[in-house]
Amino acid sequence: MRSPSLGLLLVLTAIWVAGLSHAAKNEDKASLRTAFADHFLVGVALNTAQIDGRSPKEAEIAAMQFSSLTPENDLKWQSLQPWPGRYDFKRADAYADFAEKHRMKLIGHTLVWHSQTPAWVFQGEDGKPATRELLLKRMRDHIQMVVGRYKGRIHGWDVVNEALADGGPETLRDSPWKRIIGDDFIDQAFRFAKEADPKAELYYNDYGLEDPRKRARCIAMLRGLIERGVPIDGVGTQSHFQLSQPPLAEVEETIKQISALGLKVMVTELDVDVLPSRGAAGIADINRREQADPALNPYADGLPEEIQGKLASRYAELFQVYLKYPKSVTRVTLWGLHDGQSWLNHFPIRGRSNYPLLIDRSLKPKPAFFAVLKDASSEKR
Ligand code: G3I
């Protein structure tokens, strides 16, 4: 794989910093959305403050750089229907307006997930667990209401998120959805979503699909969905990566195996964790925690150039893989606009300084940003 030299990338960064206003006037020169327009959508996860007018500079950068938008948290069940039948669409509507104003494809994240779903969803009238019928009704009502409201405005939905188990031998994670409804909760969710908006793209979304064992379970599950005629269009491979894991060969193999099933592949939550870890790195389960230790927060005062260079090379190599599969990879979304916003500052240990994205805390593009842009221009030659 070609890796850009750190020297060159640092020079490019310096040019950007020196001529920020000039660069802004020449959008095409440094815009990811333009550079990758012939290949795939380039998306970003944003939070409320970035689209409701509180962070105008961040909104401007997001609109200039990205052609797709995923609300990081505001379309999760607990945000949309915190109490039975009481929906709150204020923030979701703001994303839909923002995406339309800036011609960004809006992604709905997410309909059915074991996390960020209020406890009442899984409870019956009498404090006992809900019955299968009741939970299916709640699932259908939620999907009809939410997907129906944004029919024609939301391009694609992460219909089911993280249903697969991390270890074996069970294929599916032990979640209230599986316990109460049974393994067919996935089929049902996709059918309800199709009913609510027949034209929206429908995705299964998960992390760790580069692990050969989890990938095998995922492929088997997808085969079953396809055989049963479940309306699925694509798979989101979240891609919460580290500097050297997973190996590029596994990233590529995952794309190949999913596209061999005739499904689209989306890289839905890309970031690269640069911090050391003692636990199960690569398992992006939000409930995973590690013991705090200053040794695990080595870059609190800034990222050394050497690591900055490694990060740039890692991003360059990943995008080179994505560019090899333009017919299958339809979108690559970064999980956050800038380092200061990333969930990885708080996972799996709170309050660390991580540097996983393309734009830094002061909203300047990093060498990794230019490395990715360079991939797009090399591809065109
Ligand atoms: O909104 C409250 C705020 O009122 C409160 O003061 C604050 C105190 O901690 O918490 C705020 O909520 C936090 C929320 O993010 C918004 O910032 C939650 O505690 C926190 O758990 C939540 O984390 C999100 C996490 O999903 C859980 O929903 C992360 O931002 C988000 O990046 C992360 O995204 C997930 C994807 O949805 C699925 N794949 C894995 C990915 C990373 O975990």
Side-chain angles (χ1 to χ4, degrees), residues 45-314:
L46 297 180
N47 58 41
T48 330
Q50 291 168 319
I51 53 106
D52 70 1
R54 278 179 285 162
S55 306
K57 183 72 196 162
E58 294 179 35
E60 185 193 327
I61 294 171
M64 174 179 156
Q65 293 296 337
F66 296 97
S67 47
S68 175
L69 160 60
T70 305
E72 184 177 358
N73 288 303
D74 291 327
L75 261 69
K76 292 174 182 173
W77 190 310
Q78 75 174 21
S79 305
L80 291 178
Q81 193 190 175
W83 304 104
R86 278 165 55 189
Y87 291 86
D88 179 356
F89 290 116
K90 191 162 169 269
R91 283 166 295 170
D93 286 352
Y95 284 95
D97 294 343
F98 187 93
E100 272 160 16
K101 182 171 171 202
H102 299 292
R103 294 171 295 105
M104 300 165 92
K105 296 259 195 261
L106 183 59
I107 306 302
H109 174 80
T110 174
L111 296 168
V112 173
W113 188 22
H114 60 277
S115 191
Q116 314 305 119
T117 302
W120 66 260
V121 175
F122 305 113
Q123 284 162 5
E125 305 289 326
D126 45 9
K128 291 190 190 143
T131 60
R132 171 180 157 93
E133 290 62 37
L134 180 59
L135 188 53
L136 274 174
K137 182 180 181 315
R138 284 182 179 151
M139 182 201 268
R140 181 161 186 253
D141 288 350
H142 184 82
I143 290 177
Q144 289 230 309
M145 178 64 94
V146 173
V147 176
R149 181 180 180 94
Y150 298 104
K151 194 173 171 177
R153 298 186 85 191
I154 288 197
H155 172 73
W157 282 95
D158 291 337
V159 178
V160 176
N161 195 41
E162 300 173 8
L164 290 164
D166 283 319
E170 288 286 312
T171 295
L172 298 186
R173 172 193 295 277
D174 178 30
S175 75
W177 294 110
K178 171 180 152 73
R179 277 197 299 277
I180 298 172
I181 295 178
D183 289 5
D184 68 325
F185 81 88
I186 301 174
D187 299 33
Q188 303 276 5
F190 276 92
R191 293 191 197 286
F192 294 152
K194 187 74 179 174
E195 212 173 68
D197 185 354
K199 290 199 179 140
E201 290 192 348
L202 305 180
Y203 317 127
Y204 175 73
N205 193 52
D206 212 332
Y207 62 82
L209 302 182
E210 296 70 27
D211 173 280
R213 288 158 305 176
K214 188 165 178 179
R215 180 172 60 222
R217 291 197 293 277
C218 181
I219 296 294
M221 180 195 77
L222 294 169
R223 281 216 176 91
L225 295 179
I226 293 166
E227 277 162 21
R228 294 190 296 277
V230 173
I232 177 171
D233 298 289
V235 175
T237 167
Q238 293 185 7
S239 308
H240 295 292
F241 290 161
Q242 294 79 47
L243 281 174
S244 52
Q245 289 295 327
L248 287 178
E250 300 298 353
V251 173
E252 187 160 357
E253 187 59 25
T254 300
I255 296 172
K256 279 188 189 164
Q257 289 196 20
I258 295 170
S259 44
L261 296 175
L263 297 172
K264 294 179 180 175
V265 183
M266 266 122 308
V267 176
T268 51
E269 304 184 13
L270 179 61
D271 48 27
V272 178
D273 186 345
V274 302
L275 296 181
S277 167
R278 297 208 176 105
I283 298 201
D285 189 328
I286 190 73
N287 296 314
R288 188 168 74 77
R289 289 279 146 213
E290 276 185 40
Q291 189 72 35
D293 176 345
L296 298 179
N297 188 23
Y299 313 131
D301 297 327
L303 193 61
E305 277 186 18
E306 184 205 345
I307 312 294
Q308 192 79 268
K310 283 189 178 161
L311 182 71
S313 301
R314 178 70 163 153

Side-chain angles (χ1 to χ4, degrees), residues 289 340-352 354:
R289 289 279 146 213
Q341 175 201 346
S342 172
W343 73 295
L344 288 171
N345 294 305
H346 306 291
F347 174 87
I349 297 169
R350 286 202 180 280
R352 296 192 298 172
N354 215 329

